[in-house]
C-alpha cells in the first residue's frame, strides 16, 4: 500500500515531530488536536524545528517551505477522509485513545491503516476499539522524533502482515531504523528505560542523592547523555507515570510500583518541560533543581 497522506491525532511533542518528519519525506499531513490553538502552537513548534534543521544545514530552505506547505490543520475528523494512514499520538491514557478510535473510524476509508504511538498500552486492546484490528499497528517513535533513529513496531494479535509491511516501508522511507517488539506492556525500550527512571525518582525520594547528584552520577558514571531526572522531565512526568502504571498493572509485579514522589509531582501539575516545572524549574531559562 502506498502511503502518501498521513493523519496525526494529537499535536503535542510527539505528534508535531511525526508530522515534521512525514512532511519532510514528501507526505501530505493532516494534524489534529482538541483545539485550533493547540494545532497552531504545534505548527509554530514545527516551524522552529525545521528552521533549526536549516541552520544545521541538514535541509535547505526550499525543503523547509515545501514541508510546511504539506502540513494542514484538521480539527474535524472529516479531514482524515482521504488519509492512507492515521497515527494517534494523543495523551498516554487508554480511555482517551479508545474514544478517539471509536469516533475516528467512521471518518476513514475502509482500507486506511491506523496506528498508535503509545509508549506502553496493549496494541491488541487498543485495536479492539477500532473497526479494523487487522489494519491496526503500534508505531512507536522516540522523542525527539526528528533526531531519534529508532522506531519500535508492535503487532497486535490480529494485525495483518500487509499492515506490518506497510509500516516497515514507511519507517524506511523516513530514513529510520525499526525494531520489532511483541505486544507486552511498554514493549522493549520503555520496559527497560522507565523502571530505571522510576528507580532514580525513588533514589531522590529516599534522600540517597539530590536531583543534581543523581543526574550527574548517571551522566558521568554510566555515560548516559542525559541524567534520568532530566530525561523524565523531557519525556513528561504524566507519560512516565502512565507507563509505570501500565507496567505495574500489566505485569502485576511490585517492582514496577510508581514512586509516590512521581505521583505527587503529576498531581501538582509539575509535568516537566512541557509545564516549565518538574524535577527542574525551567521558568528562568536556566534549569534549577526543585529538590
Ligand atoms: N514524550 C515522549 O518521550 C514519548 C515518546 C514516545 C511515545 N510517546 C507517546 O506519544 C503520545 C503523545 O505523547 P506526547 O509526549 O506528545 O504528549 P503531549 O502531552 O506533549 O501531547 C499530547 C497531545 O494530545 C492531545 N490530545 C489529548 N486528547 C486528545 C484528543 N481527544 N484528540 C486529539 N488530541 C488530543 C493534547 O491536547 C496534547 O496536545 C503518548 O501516547 C506517549 O506515550 C511519548
Amino acid at each position: 500500500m502506498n502511503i502518501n497522506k498521513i493523519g496525526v491525532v494529537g499535536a503535542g511533542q510527539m505528534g508535531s515531530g511525526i508530522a515534521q518528519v512525514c512532511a519532510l519525506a514528501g507526505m501530505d499531513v493532516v494534524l489534529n488536536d482538541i483545539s485550533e490553538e493547540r494545532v497552531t502552537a504545534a505548527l509554530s513548534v514545527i516551524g522552529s524545528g525545521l528552521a533549526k534543521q536549516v541552520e544545521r544545514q541538514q535541509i535547505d530552505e526550499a525543503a523547509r517551505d515545501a514541508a510546511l506547505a504539506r502540513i494542514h490543520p484538521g480539527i474535524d475528523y472529516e479531514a482524515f477522509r482521504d488519509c492512507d494512514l492515521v497515527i494517534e499520538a494523543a495523551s498516554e491514557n487508554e480511555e482517551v485513545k479508545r474514544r478517539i478510535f471509536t469516533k475516528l473510524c467512521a471518518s476513514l476509508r475502509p482500507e486506511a491503516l491506523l496506528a498508535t504511538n503509545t509508549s506502553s498500552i496493549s496494541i491488541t486492546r487498543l485495536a479492539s476499539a477500532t473497526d479494523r484490528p487487522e489494519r491496526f499497528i503500534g508505531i512507536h517513535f522516540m522523542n525527539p522524533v526528528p533526531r531519534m533513529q529508532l522506531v519500535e513496531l508492535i503487532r497486535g494479535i490480529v494485525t495483518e502482515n500487509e499492515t506490518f509491511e506497510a509500516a516497515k516501508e514507511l519507517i524506511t522511507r523516513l530514513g529510520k531504523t525499526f525494531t520489532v517488539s511483541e505486544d507486552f506492556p511498554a514493549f522493549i525500550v520503555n520496559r527497560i528505560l522507565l523502571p530505571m527512571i522510576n528507580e532514580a525518582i525513588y533514589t531522590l525520594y529516599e534522600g540517597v542523592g539530590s536531583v543534581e547528584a543523581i543526574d550527574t552520577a548517571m551522566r558521568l558514571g554510566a555515560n548516559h547523555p542525559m541524567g534520568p531526572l532530566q530525561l523524565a522531565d523531557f519525556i513528561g512526568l504524566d507519560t512516565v507515570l502512565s507507563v509505570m502504571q501500565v507496567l505495574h498493572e500489566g505485569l502485576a509485579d511490585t517492582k514496577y510500583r510508581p514512586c509516590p514522589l512521581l505521583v505527587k509531582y503529576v498531581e501538582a501539575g509539575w509535568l516537566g518541560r512541557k509545564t516549565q516545572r518538574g524535577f527542574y524549574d525551567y521558568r528562568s531559562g536556566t534549569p534549577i533543581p526543585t529538590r
Side-chain angles (χ1 to χ4, degrees):
M1 174 173 193
N2 276 344
I3 295 175
N4 295 313
K5 187 162 183 177
I6 290 210
V8 179
V9 179
Q13 45 184 351
M14 295 307 291
S16 43
I18 295 167
Q20 182 174 328
V21 297
C22 290
L24 265 180
M27 286 164 255
D28 283 320
V29 180
V30 178
L31 186 57
N32 164 282
D33 206 294
I34 49 174
S35 69
E36 229 172 293
E37 292 73 40
R38 294 217 175 179
V39 177
T40 308
L43 287 172
S44 137
V45 169
I46 295 170
S48 317
L50 288 168
K52 272 194 205 123
Q53 287 186 283
V54 172
E55 255 172 53
R56 294 192 198 114
Q57 299 186 332
Q58 292 163 337
I59 57 170
D60 60 21
E61 287 180 2
R64 175 200 60 194
D65 295 346
L68 274 175
R70 281 189 203 107
I71 306 174
H72 310 282
I75 295 306
D76 195 310
Y77 284 160
E78 275 307 299
F80 294 123
R81 183 66 67 186
D82 54 353
C83 284
D84 304 308
L85 162 71
V86 177
I87 304 176
E88 172 278 316
S91 314
E92 187 72 348
N93 176 306
E94 186 164 341
E95 274 324 297
V96 168
K97 291 183 190 294
R98 292 185 80 91
R99 272 202 302 274
I100 289 172
F101 293 133
T102 308
K103 207 171 141 219
L104 174 66
C105 284
S107 301
L108 301 182
R109 286 188 294 132
E111 61 273 29
L113 302 178
L114 202 47
T116 174
N117 187 49
T118 179
S119 299
S120 60
I121 303 167
S122 161
I123 304 304
T124 301
R125 225 163 48 226
L126 288 177
S128 74
T130 77
D131 60 358
R132 62 196 71 210
E134 312 78 19
R135 285 188 295 286
F136 188 90
I137 190 162
I139 304 184
H140 182 218
F141 289 87
M142 306 291 137
N143 186 16
V145 183
R147 301 244 309 267
M148 297 297 278
Q149 186 58 30
L150 186 78
V151 178
E152 280 183 303
L153 293 181
I154 311 105
R155 280 171 287 195
I157 203 158
V158 279
T159 305
E160 272 173 359
N161 213 32
E162 241 176 74
T163 307
F164 182 50
E165 290 302 320
K168 285 203 299 201
E169 245 179 79
L170 170 75
I171 301 314
T172 308
R173 189 168 162 196
L174 295 177
K176 299 198 182 288
T177 306
F178 62 84
T179 51
V180 178
S181 166
E182 289 302 319
D183 189 15
F184 271 74
F187 321 123
I188 296 173
V189 173
N190 286 333
R191 168 81 178 261
I192 299 169
L193 182 64
L194 273 283
M196 191 271 291
I197 290 176
N198 192 47
E199 197 60 29
I201 304 169
Y202 269 114
T203 311
L204 177 69
Y205 179 61
E206 290 168 11
V208 182
S210 64
V211 167
E212 221 162 7
I214 292 164
D215 275 351
T216 305
M218 292 306 284
R219 267 191 298 106
L220 305 186
N223 216 12
H224 289 194
M226 267 184 171
L229 301 173
Q230 190 191 0
L231 180 57
D233 275 1
F234 186 70
I235 293 171
L237 301 191
D238 52 340
T239 302
V240 173
L241 177 58
S242 296
V243 174
M244 288 312 300
Q245 284 164 336
V246 169
L247 279 167
H248 193 215
E249 282 160 26
L251 298 170
D253 191 327
T254 51
K255 75 178 177 184
Y256 300 111
R257 188 170 72 101
C259 178
L261 186 63
L262 170 64
V263 176
K264 198 173 271 184
Y265 270 47
V266 172
E267 283 172 351
W270 290 18
L271 307 184
R273 276 185 173 275
K274 62 184 163 191
T275 57
Q276 296 286 299
R277 245 190 303 189
F279 293 109
Y280 294 85
D281 187 333
Y282 301 90
R283 289 171 302 169
S284 69
T286 311
I288 299 164
T290 50
R291 274 177 111 81

